[in-house]
Amino acid sequence: MKYEENYQMPFFLATQKGTASLATLVNMLLLGSEHQLDAVDAGIAALGKEGAGWVITQYHLDVTRMPKMEEQVVLGTEAVSYNKLMTYRDYWLRTPAGEELARMSGAWVMMDLATRKIIPIKPNFAEKVGAVADSHVRRFPRIGKLSAVDAAADYRVRYFDIDGNGHVNNVHYFEWMEDVLGGAWLTNHELATMDIKYAREVAAGSTPRSQVQIAGLTTHHRIVTGATLNAEATLTWRQH
C-alpha cells in the first residue's frame, strides 16, 4: 500500500545553504507516513488509545541531494512487512518529474506507554497499512564504533524536544550529531548516507553528550547520557 503526497519545503526549515538539514529531511519523510497512518486510524492517536506508541530502532538513509528551500517535492512511503516484534517501512523523496532525492528504510517497534517496555506488534495496526506478516528480520548496515573522540558537546533536553510518546523526538539526535561537527565541516560537505541505531531513550531534563570521530569522509557518532549509550550512528559525506 504505497502512499505519496505533494509537499513544499518552507523557507524557515532551510539551513544557511538554503537546503534541508538531516533532521528536516527525516521529518519530511516521516510526515508522509504519519499522514498515511492517520488516514487508516493507525497513527499516534489511535495507538495511544490502546496505551501503546510507535518507536524507531534503526534507520538507513541514502541521499542523492538535499531538497532546496521552497522546492516542490513528493513524499512517499510504504509499510513493507512485520514480524512478532518489528515492522519495516520504506520512505522516499522525489521531485514531481521523478528525480529521486532520498530513500530511507526504518525498523519500528511498539512500546507500552505506561511501562516504557517493548510489546509485540499489534497485527491489526500493521495490516491497516498493508504490511505483510513475514518472520524475516531485515538486516541494516553495521554501525561503526568510535575508537577515539575528535569532538564532543553537551545538549540540554528541552520541553520542546519531547514528542507525544513522552520521549525525545528521534530527529533531535541528528541535530546533536551534525552540530558537533561544526560550521566549517557542514558548509564544505554534503551528506551521502546515514545509519543510526537507537539504544535507550533520552529523558526529559537530562544532558546528553554528542561525540564524534572523523575518519576521512566518514563520521562515527555516539549520544551518551553519563555511562548510558542512547544512540550511535555512521554518516558518510561528499565534499561540497
Side-chain angles (χ1 to χ4, degrees), residues 5-223:
E5 68 175 72
N6 296 321
Y7 184 76
Q8 182 176 19
M9 187 182 120
F11 74 92
F12 55 80
L13 292 181
T15 66
Q16 297 179 44
K17 295 192 290 186
T19 59
S21 65
L22 172 56
T24 293
L25 175 61
V26 173
N27 262 335
M28 290 169 64
L29 292 168
L30 294 177
L31 182 64
S33 65
E34 288 297 317
H35 288 169
Q36 183 192 35
L37 287 166
D38 288 341
V40 296
D41 199 33
I44 293 174
L47 197 53
K49 292 177 183 177
E50 300 198 16
W54 293 108
V55 177
I56 186 65
T57 63
Q58 284 185 270
Y59 284 130
H60 170 75
L61 170 71
D62 293 302
V63 181
T64 304
R65 72 167 174 85
M66 287 291 185
K68 302 173 184 177
M69 176 175 62
E70 300 292 346
E71 183 173 11
Q72 297 281 350
V73 294
V74 178
L75 312 177
T77 187
E78 180 182 20
V80 181
S81 64
Y82 73 95
N83 54 41
K84 182 178 180 180
L85 291 176
M86 285 194 171
T87 182
Y88 302 105
R89 179 176 281 276
D90 292 336
Y91 311 79
W92 57 90
L93 185 73
R94 64 175 178 85
T95 66
E99 176 195 1
E100 187 169 280
L101 305 184
R103 181 167 288 269
M104 185 172 76
S105 298
W108 294 81
V109 297
M110 283 186 178
M111 178 182 70
D112 185 299
L113 294 178
T115 65
R116 316 305 287 180
K117 302 287 187 182
I118 302 304
I119 59 175
I121 295 294
K122 296 177 182 290
N124 58 317
F125 277 85
E127 291 167 359
K128 283 181 179 181
V129 286
V132 177
D134 185 351
S135 60
H136 174 74
V137 176
R138 182 182 288 192
R139 301 298 180 187
F140 284 74
R142 186 170 175 269
I143 306 293
K145 303 292 184 181
L146 276 72
S147 58
V149 176
D150 294 321
D154 294 328
Y155 297 88
R156 182 180 65 85
V157 175
R158 308 166 303 164
Y159 170 88
F160 303 102
D161 298 330
I162 306 299
D163 65 15
N165 283 333
H167 62 203
V168 172
N169 187 290
N170 69 82
V171 300
H172 292 303
Y173 293 75
F174 301 131
E175 295 174 338
W176 302 333
M177 289 174 175
E178 283 201 306
D179 184 64
V180 76
L181 287 166
W185 176 277
L186 297 173
T187 298
N188 295 305
H189 296 80
E190 300 289 346
L191 184 68
T193 69
M194 177 276 293
D195 285 282
I196 187 169
K197 185 174 184 178
Y198 296 91
R200 190 176 293 270
E201 291 182 273
V202 175
S206 63
T207 305
R209 187 168 181 79
S210 177
Q211 302 172 325
V212 64
Q213 180 181 9
I214 301 172
L217 293 176
T218 300
T219 56
H220 302 291
H221 300 260
R222 185 166 59 202
I223 304 296

